[in-house]
Amino acid sequence: MYYIYFVYVAILASLMLNECNNKSQPRWWALMVLFAPVTTPYFIYKSRKESGIILFMVFLTTFSAVGGIEFYLYSKYMEKNRYSHLPPVTRQMIRLSEELKQSTANLDQALVKLENLSKVESRINEIKKTIEFIDQLRNIMISNQEVIKRLVKYTSDYQSFFAGRNLDWVFNIQKFYNNRNVTQHYKSLQKYLDNFEELLKYTYVNFYNITEHKSKEHFKNYDEYYLRYRRAVDSHNRFNVKRIDFQNSFLKKHPEIKPYLPGERQTETFRLWE
C-alpha cells in the first residue's frame, strides 16, 4: 500500500524542483511539495499566476486519481485482513457464516424468480425456461444445504471453543437450521419442485395434444399431474407458514443472526401455476 502515492509525490516534487530551477524560485518549494502535496496548487499559482490553470487541473485530476486508487487498495487490504487478529477457529467460523449468508441470499433470489416464472401464462417456450430454471434452483438448494451442514458440523466440532468465548450467535444459527420447522420446510420445498417439474415436463411434451387437439386422455393425465402439484403447493405453503412463525419468534430473541436466515421474500406463499 501507498507505493503509488509515494512514487507520485516523488515525481511531483521532482517536477516542482525543475519548475523552481526554470523560474528562479526557491528550491524549498519542492521540499514542501514532497511533504505536503496539497500545497502544490499554491506554488503553481505563485510561479505561473493565471497561466498555471492547466497545470492546476492536471494536478487536481492526477491527485484525485491516485487518492482514489490508494483508498480502493486500502479498503481491499482491510477487508482481507480484518479478521487476521482472531484465532483460526473463529476466522473459519466467520468465513462459513459469510458463505451461508451469500448462499441463503442466492436461494432467496432464485425462489423469487421461480415465483415470477410461475405467474407467466402457459406458453411452450416459458414452460421450457421454467423447467430449466428448476434444475438450476435444485443446484442452488444443494449448495445451500451443503453450506448449512458444514457450518452445523463445524459448530459441533468446536463447541467447547465457542462456548468458552461466549459466541452464542454461532449456536443460534445452528439451532435455527436444526429446528424441525426449518428442516420440514426444505423437504416440502423439494417435493414441491419435483411435482412442479413433473407437471411442466408432461405439459411440455404433450403441449399440442392438450391445447390444440384437446385430447381427453392427455387432459386426464394432465389433471392427475396437476392435482399432485396442487397438493404439493398446499403442503409446502402450510410448512412455510410454520417456518415463518418460528423464524419471526426466533429473530425476536436473536436479531443478530438475521443475515444468515431465509430472506423476507421467501415468506410469501407460492401461487398456483396456470
Side-chain angles (χ1 to χ4, degrees), residues 162-215:
F162 296 127
R165 286 161 176 76
N166 296 319
L167 297 177
D168 293 335
W169 65 273
V170 173
F171 298 110
N172 291 331
I173 294 176
Q174 183 188 45
K175 287 178 183 176
F176 176 84
Y177 285 103
N178 277 339
N179 185 271
R180 186 174 183 276
N181 290 302
V182 177
T183 57
Q184 288 284 53
H185 167 265
Y186 277 105
K187 289 178 181 178
S188 69
L189 177 58
Q190 183 62 59
K191 188 175 181 180
Y192 159 77
L193 291 177
D194 291 342
N195 283 275
F196 192 19
E197 184 180 45
E198 288 177 1
L199 171 63
L200 290 173
K201 284 184 175 179
Y202 181 81
T203 306
Y204 180 75
V205 173
N206 302 282
F207 188 80
Y208 293 105
N209 285 322
I210 296 171
T211 59
E212 301 294 334
H213 302 298
K214 311 295 183 182
S215 168

Side-chain angles (χ1 to χ4, degrees), residues 227-240:
L227 284 174
R228 271 184 269 170
Y229 158 72
R230 175 148 192 167
R231 285 195 294 268
V233 172
D234 292 339
S235 175
H236 177 67
N237 285 338
R238 286 195 300 271
F239 282 117
N240 198 31

Side-chain angles (χ1 to χ4, degrees), residues 108-233:
D108 180 31
Q109 293 167 8
L111 290 172
V112 171
K113 184 175 180 179
L114 178 63
E115 175 69 5
N116 291 332
L117 288 172
S118 302
K119 296 174 185 176
V120 177
E121 183 182 352
S122 303
R123 290 189 294 270
I124 193 165
N125 56 329
E126 277 81 13
I127 292 173
K128 184 179 180 181
K129 289 178 183 177
T130 307
I131 293 170
E132 292 172 348
F133 184 73
I134 287 176
D135 192 50
Q136 297 175 29
L137 199 154
R138 274 205 186 90
N139 292 330
I140 296 172
M141 280 186 63
I142 291 171
S143 175
N144 181 251
Q145 289 297 298
E146 288 176 348
V147 175
I148 291 171
K149 289 177 182 177
R150 285 200 298 272
L151 186 142
V152 169
K153 184 179 183 302
Y154 191 80
T155 304
S156 298
D157 290 344
Y158 293 93
Q159 182 175 359
S160 58
F161 176 88
F162 296 127
R165 286 161 176 76
N166 296 319
L167 297 177
D168 293 335
W169 65 273
V170 173
F171 298 110
N172 291 331
I173 294 176
Q174 183 188 45
K175 287 178 183 176
F176 176 84
Y177 285 103
N178 277 339
N179 185 271
R180 186 174 183 276
N181 290 302
V182 177
T183 57
Q184 288 284 53
H185 167 265
Y186 277 105
K187 289 178 181 178
S188 69
L189 177 58
Q190 183 62 59
K191 188 175 181 180
Y192 159 77
L193 291 177
D194 291 342
N195 283 275
F196 192 19
E197 184 180 45
E198 288 177 1
L199 171 63
L200 290 173
K201 284 184 175 179
Y202 181 81
T203 306
Y204 180 75
V205 173
N206 302 282
F207 188 80
Y208 293 105
N209 285 322
I210 296 171
T211 59
E212 301 294 334
H213 302 298
K214 311 295 183 182
S215 168
K216 291 183 179 179
E217 179 184 354
H218 290 93
F219 264 127
K220 181 179 179 181
N221 292 335
Y222 174 85
D223 287 342
E224 291 179 3
Y225 279 107
Y226 189 83
L227 284 174
R228 271 184 269 170
Y229 158 72
R230 175 148 192 167
R231 285 195 294 268
V233 172

